[in-house]
Amino acid sequence: MTASRPPNTAEELRGAGLRVTAARVALLETVRNGDHLGVEAIASGVRERVGHISLQAVYDALHALTAAGLLRRLEPPGSPARFEGRVGDNHHHLVCRSCGAVTDVDCAVGAAPCLTASADHGFSIDEAEVIYWGLCPACSTTPRS
């Protein structure tokens, strides 16, 4: 039996039916190497790898990669959209009310969808999205004014 190797970025793009471009490869790698990055940080990371790219091209690529299931878009209320490469599981997030830091947290209990709705209203529920709010360790030790 041979061990299967994980697909490389180009193979993942092809497998998702997307054209392989240097910008898409750089964007996917930037998001996966980052930590819940916003669009500006992603654009900066892509520019470091491939040179000039317009912000609109970054938005277009993010939309395509998210629609293809290669990236996940996170939109905490009151915060700009963030993107992450952790997809395919039903994890949740911790968000700092002070600095906006975002951290992954695995399901609270059990298998997806982790939580049982008090009423499903006829929906076939397959995912639960939970955002825990509070102060990160750095902000909780900083005196408030």
Side-chain angles (χ1 to χ4, degrees):
M1 176 187 269
T2 58
S4 64
R5 64 179 177 80
N8 68 30
T9 305
E11 290 171 344
E12 288 179 283
L13 289 166
R14 281 188 208 95
L18 297 173
R19 196 165 50 92
V20 177
T21 66
R24 283 183 175 163
V25 169
L27 191 146
L28 199 50
E29 290 173 352
T30 297
V31 172
R32 288 180 173 167
N33 292 330
D35 187 23
H36 303 94
L37 300 174
V39 175
E40 292 289 338
I42 294 168
S44 177
V46 172
R47 288 180 186 123
E48 288 175 10
R49 288 176 160 86
V50 298
H52 178 74
I53 185 170
S54 71
L55 202 52
Q56 185 60 52
V58 171
Y59 276 106
D60 292 345
L62 285 168
H63 177 73
L65 294 169
T66 301
L70 297 176
L71 295 179
R72 182 176 175 191
R73 180 183 177 114
L74 169 68
E75 295 183 70
S79 297
R82 308 276 187 103
F83 294 85
E84 66 179 343
R86 185 175 171 185
V87 297
D89 67 351
N90 195 39
H91 71 279
H92 307 301
H93 297 93
L94 301 163
V95 180
C96 180
R97 290 186 187 279
S98 182
C99 70
V102 178
T103 302
D104 290 337
V105 63
D106 291 326
C107 279
V109 177
C114 298
L115 305 173
T116 303
S118 60
D120 64 19
H121 300 282
F123 281 70
S124 175
I125 299 171
D126 62 9
E127 182 178 358
E129 185 171 315
V130 176
I131 299 177
Y132 299 96
W133 293 89
L135 294 176
C136 69
C139 292
S140 65
T141 59
T142 303
R144 291 185 157 186
S145 50

